[in-house]
Amino acid sequence: MIPFKTIIASAVSIVLLTACASQATQQPESTLKEAFGEKFLIGAAVSQRQINGHDSAALALVAKHFNSIVAENCMKSAIIHPEEDRYNFAPGDSLVAFGEQHGMAVIGHCLIWHSQLSHWFCKDKEGRPVTPEVLKQRMKEHITTVVSHYKGRIKGWDVVNEAILEDGSYRNTPFYEILGEEFIPLAFQYAHEADPDVELYYNDYGMNVAGRRDGVVKLVKQLQERGLRIDAVGMQGHMGMDYPELQEFEESIQAFSSTGVKVMITEWDMSALPTVSFTANVSDTVGFRKAMNPYPEALPDSVSQVWNGRMKDFFRLFLKHADVITRVTAWGVTDADSWKNDFPMRGRKEYPLFFDRDYQMKPFLKELMNE
Ligand code: GLA
C-alpha cells in the first residue's frame, strides 16, 4: 500500500509542477518594444501587401514587436497623388488604422522626394518643367492636402527626402532645378502650416559621409535660423558588411544632435552580401551573377556571425545615444520583404533585416534582449 504521506507529497508536486508549467506558458515572451521601448521607438516599414493581409505572419510580428510603423511606399507622391486632381488615400488610411489599432506611432514617408515622384508634379502638359510659381503652388497643395488628411494621426513626416549629395551640395532634382535651395524651407513651412503639432524631419542616406553630414547640418541650421520647425534628422541606415564605419556614423549622430534636433534611424537594413563593384568583369556573366548572388540557398553561419556582430555593434551605438535617438526603424520585417532582394539583379537573395524568412528573430536581437 502507498503511504498516505507519499500520496499527498506527490499530489502537491503535481499541483506545483502544473502551476509552474502554466506560469511558463502564460509568461509573455519578451518583445522588442518591451526590451527597448523605453530607450526609443522601435519601428518597421510595412508594405501594402502586409496591411492587406497577404502576409499575416509578418503583420503579427509587427503588432507584437514594434511600437511604430512607416509606409514602405503608399504615401510617396506617385502612389498617394497619382494625378494632379486625384488622391489615393485608401492604402495609407488602412496603414494608419492598423497603427492606431495597436497604439503605434505612425510616421509619414515622404512629402517631397525626386524619386517615386508623380509624373505630373514638376512638368506641364507638354512635359516641360513648370515655372517656380506653379511648382510652389503644387507643392503647397500636395503637402497641405496630405498632411491635413492625416492631421492628429501621424506623429511626424519625412518632409524632404534625399536632397543633399555626398559633397554637401544640393542634388540636382526637378525641385532644385526649378526652385533652387528654397524648395526645402518651403516644404517645411507648408507642412507646419497644415499641422502645427506634427513633427517634421529631414531624411537622407549615406549620412556617415562627412560632406553630406556637413551639408545636412548647414541645412538644419538654416531652417532653424529662419524660425522653421524641424524636429529630427533621419539617418536612413542602409548599410553593408563594409560600410559605414561605426565611428563615422557616430560622428554624424553627434553632429546632427548638436544642432538641437533629435536623430532617427529611419530605414535600417544591412546587406549580408559582399559589396560587388559594378565595374566587375561583366563579360563573365556567369561569374558575375554568382558574385552578385553568393548565398542563393541560405546565409553561411560564418557570414551570419559577422552580420549579427555588426548589427549588434550598431544597435549598441544607438542605445549609447538613446538620449538623442528617438526612433530606430527597420526597413521591412523579414528578410523576404527587403527591397534589397532582386536588386540590382533578379533572384538576388538578401538577409538584411531583424527577422529571417521563417519569421524567427535574428540572434543579435535575442542577445541584446538578454543583456
Ligand atoms: C530610399 C527611400 C525609401 C525606400 C528605399 C529603398 O531610402 O527613402 O522609401 O524606397 O530608398 O528602396
Side-chain angles (χ1 to χ4, degrees), residues 159-354:
V159 180
V160 175
N161 198 26
E162 301 181 349
I164 304 290
L165 295 174
E166 289 201 352
D167 64 358
S169 65
Y170 282 74
R171 183 185 297 279
N172 202 11
T173 67
F175 294 103
Y176 181 72
E177 275 174 28
I178 299 171
L179 287 170
E181 298 179 10
E182 198 55 20
F183 85 91
I184 300 183
L186 282 172
F188 277 81
Q189 178 197 323
Y190 299 149
H192 184 58
E193 284 168 359
D195 183 355
D197 295 326
V198 81
E199 292 184 359
L200 305 179
Y201 318 132
Y202 175 77
N203 194 50
D204 215 326
Y205 70 93
M207 293 287 249
N208 54 297
V209 178
R212 181 175 281 121
R213 175 198 303 147
D214 295 346
V216 172
V217 165
K218 195 169 149 202
L219 169 67
V220 171
K221 287 184 175 161
Q222 282 169 351
L223 294 173
Q224 289 170 330
E225 276 157 19
R226 291 171 65 160
L228 291 164
R229 175 168 188 166
I230 173 160
D231 295 272
V233 166
M235 301 176 72
Q236 290 184 2
H238 297 296
M239 303 181 179
M241 294 288 253
D242 52 3
Y243 67 92
E245 276 179 28
L246 196 91
Q247 195 195 327
E248 281 181 342
F249 203 88
E250 180 167 33
E251 283 168 26
S252 294
I253 295 172
Q254 288 162 334
F256 298 141
S257 61
S258 73
T259 66
V261 299
K262 297 294 184 196
V263 174
M264 295 176 164
I265 313 304
T266 53
E267 304 183 16
W268 196 22
D269 52 23
M270 185 184 287
S271 170
L273 311 189
T275 311
V276 177
S277 157
F278 288 94
T279 53
N281 181 7
V282 278
S283 58
D284 174 13
T285 325
V286 176
F288 182 67
R289 290 183 72 83
K290 209 165 168 218
M292 289 293 273
N293 193 25
Y295 315 124
E297 304 304 330
L299 198 62
D301 285 347
S302 56
V303 182
S304 171
Q305 272 171 24
V306 178
W307 183 91
N308 275 283
R310 230 173 111 66
M311 287 295 279
K312 200 182 200 177
D313 289 345
F314 274 96
F315 206 102
R316 281 212 181 101
L317 179 72
F318 306 155
L319 292 169
K320 175 179 167 193
H321 292 285
D323 55 331
V324 294
I325 294 181
T326 51
R327 174 167 59 96
V328 174
T329 289
W331 202 246
V333 185
T334 79
D335 287 340
D337 307 330
S338 174
W339 67 289
K340 290 189 158 172
N341 290 304
D342 297 309
F343 179 81
M345 184 195 90
R346 257 189 98 165
R348 193 171 199 236
K349 195 165 176 184
E350 260 289 9
Y351 306 85
L353 290 169
F354 288 5

